[in-house]
Amino acid sequence: MATERAGAVPDRGPGRLRAAARLLGAEAALTFRRPRHLAMLGVLAVVPILIGVAVRLVAGDGVTESIVAQVAGNGLVLTFAAFFVMLPLILPLAVSVVAGDAVAGEASQGTLRYLLTAPAGRGRLLALKYANVLLFCLAACTLVAVSALVAGLVLFPSGPVTLLSGTTVPFAEGLLRAGVAVLYASAGMAALGALALLFSTLTENPIGAISATVVLVVVSEVLAAIPQLSALRPFLLTSWWNAFDGVLRAPMDTGRMGTGLLVFAGYIVISGSLAWARFTSRDVTS
């Protein structure tokens, strides 16, 4: 009997992983079925198309500004242009809604207390919520890139890509660089998602958590634009979102992008730790 009990122990690890995968799948299914989330994803898919149409119309008038000319000359560049336009506010807003609603939404609906009765524990539940936020960040950034790529290839010619440094690379390498940009943008949104999740543990009102996150983004953008406060820029999360343009240089600017990833990681660790401390030690269902 001791042998049988000992043989049952190794199954606990895989069993827990399967249970976590099922819970994550259920959480993701709820996230991607909610009408407001689907509406946001629809906006994320439409905006790159609108940008492409606007560039096509402007380019048709003979405007030769660099970004317009680059997009008009190669549809793949629309992918990078879409991130330049959408990273400052549109993508952060979508991520803020999902992450800000993760805990506060459950608390406001009264369903959080039932989730906390599960044997998984508060720490694992919070990790599950954040894993779902990560999936949404990756899905949102991928959707923007795919929509921009399809629109770009339909509206404009394709071929070798001319980088910001003036070097021309093959179309396949341009696609690879676009993929790196997607991953970098997803990491930046994941850092914002950790902040929004922290705010979500501090209130039972999801609108409050979402608003706090959006206000923080806007304030950071304003602070970064003030020359007298330039010393703050390296510490502002928003200052590093557009560092994905390192993929448009030859060689790729991995130094600046690497620093940005470290900043993102710092925000994730600090925000995640504070969210864990709040969620595991205080009553969030009262």
Side-chain angles (χ1 to χ4, degrees):
M1 293 182 64
T3 303
E4 293 176 356
R5 290 176 182 174
V9 172
D11 294 334
R12 295 177 60 188
R16 288 179 179 179
L17 290 177
R18 287 193 295 269
R22 286 196 299 269
L23 289 174
L24 179 58
E27 185 75 15
L30 287 174
T31 296
F32 289 97
R33 282 205 307 260
R34 288 176 178 169
R36 61 178 178 272
H37 296 170
L38 291 176
M40 289 187 303
L41 291 173
V43 171
L44 294 179
V46 168
V47 170
I49 299 174
L50 296 178
I51 296 172
V53 172
V55 171
R56 180 64 181 266
L57 294 175
V58 173
D61 293 335
V63 177
T64 57
E65 294 182 7
S66 59
I67 186 63
V68 174
Q70 287 190 22
V71 173
N74 194 320
L76 178 57
V77 181
L78 182 61
T79 303
F80 305 106
F83 278 121
F84 274 117
V85 172
M86 301 177 68
L87 272 174
L89 186 60
I90 300 177
L91 270 167
L93 178 60
V95 172
S96 299
V97 171
V98 173
D101 189 54
V103 175
E106 299 276 10
S108 66
Q109 296 172 13
T111 56
L112 184 58
R113 58 173 50 92
Y114 299 107
L115 291 176
L116 295 179
T117 61
R122 292 191 175 198
R124 291 182 184 176
L125 178 60
L126 187 66
L128 174 68
K129 293 286 186 182
Y130 185 61
N132 182 59
V133 171
L134 293 180
L135 287 177
F136 183 84
C137 292
L138 182 59
C141 292
T142 301
L143 178 61
V144 169
V146 171
S147 175
L149 178 62
V150 172
L153 295 180
V154 170
L155 294 171
F156 308 105
S158 61
V161 180
T162 301
L163 306 178
L164 295 177
S165 57
T167 306
T168 299
V169 298
F171 183 82
E173 183 176 338
L175 280 177
L176 179 61
R177 288 173 180 260
V180 174
V182 168
L183 294 177
Y184 183 89
S186 300
M189 293 301 98
L192 180 68
L195 271 173
L197 187 62
L198 168 60
F199 291 141
S200 188
T201 64
L202 298 175
T203 179
E204 295 181 13
N205 185 356
I207 300 299
I210 296 168
S211 300
T213 307
V214 174
V215 168
L216 180 64
V217 170
V218 173
V219 170
S220 297
E221 296 280 6
V222 171
L223 292 176
I226 300 176
Q228 292 81 359
L229 299 178
S230 59
L232 292 177
R233 290 176 189 167
F235 303 99
L236 298 176
L237 180 61
T238 56
S239 298
W240 297 98
W241 284 344
N242 280 340
F244 75 88
D245 64 0
V247 303
L248 293 174
R249 306 184 187 278
M252 193 178 297
D253 190 0
T254 55
R256 185 163 180 262
M257 293 176 65
T259 302
L261 291 176
L262 288 177
V263 173
F264 298 157
Y267 270 86
I268 292 172
V269 170
I270 294 173
S271 300
S273 299
L274 292 175
W276 178 85
R278 162 68 181 180
F279 191 66
T280 59
S281 62
R282 299 183 63 179
D283 183 9
V284 295
T285 62
S286 59

